[in-house]
Amino acid sequence: DTAGAAVLYERAGELLDAARLFEVMGELREAGRLYEKQLRESPDDGEAALRLGVILARFGRHEPATRALQRAALAEQQRGAALRLLVACLDALGLSQAAASRLDELRAGDPALPLTVADYLAESFGDPRGFAALARDTASAAGPDASRWLAGRYRVVRPLGSGGTGRVV
């Protein structure tokens, strides 16, 4: 009973183990919540930061993913994996110089990696636009109403309300 085990791990304070189980079950939001909680309790936990960064990147939340991956890159064991994903997140945010800098760090350890960010993203994601391509492809698969998609995965059906500081769709 994976779900029961995850709940028991969380009750016991073993947040990383509980989050891993929720991730295995596909409950990424719950896993992300637990990774965030783990990072509040242990700010130097590179594994929690890396796993949170991966989840956030999958949801198209590149800015918070970048922050988590930068924390993960400080931990020696997660450094390589964090830098690989960080290149893609920084590029998705339009920070091409920062992405190139992180790619240079990766190339210092593995000179066989592509020289440019676009080539690296094409090799890693199958498209030189990286995460941006994934979001666009999801939206274009939606058809002519693609402009009504948020983060490439949520379709706006109708606005729910609005106020002085924003609107809810």
Side-chain angles (χ1 to χ4, degrees), residues 43-87:
D44 297 331
D45 190 332
E47 183 182 353
L50 177 61
R51 288 176 175 265
L52 177 61
V54 169
I55 289 171
L56 290 168
R58 286 178 66 184
F59 281 108
R61 301 199 53 221
H62 303 298
E63 191 172 327
T66 297
R67 286 192 297 271
L69 293 167
Q70 287 171 331
R71 287 172 81 173
L74 297 175
E76 193 61 38
Q77 289 181 318
Q78 283 77 29
R79 184 168 179 71
L83 286 175
R84 283 189 287 279
L85 194 52
L86 195 52
V87 170

Side-chain angles (χ1 to χ4, degrees), residues 117-130:
V117 172
D119 290 341
Y120 173 79
L121 294 175
E123 184 179 289
S124 300
F125 292 89
D127 191 302
R129 296 170 296 165

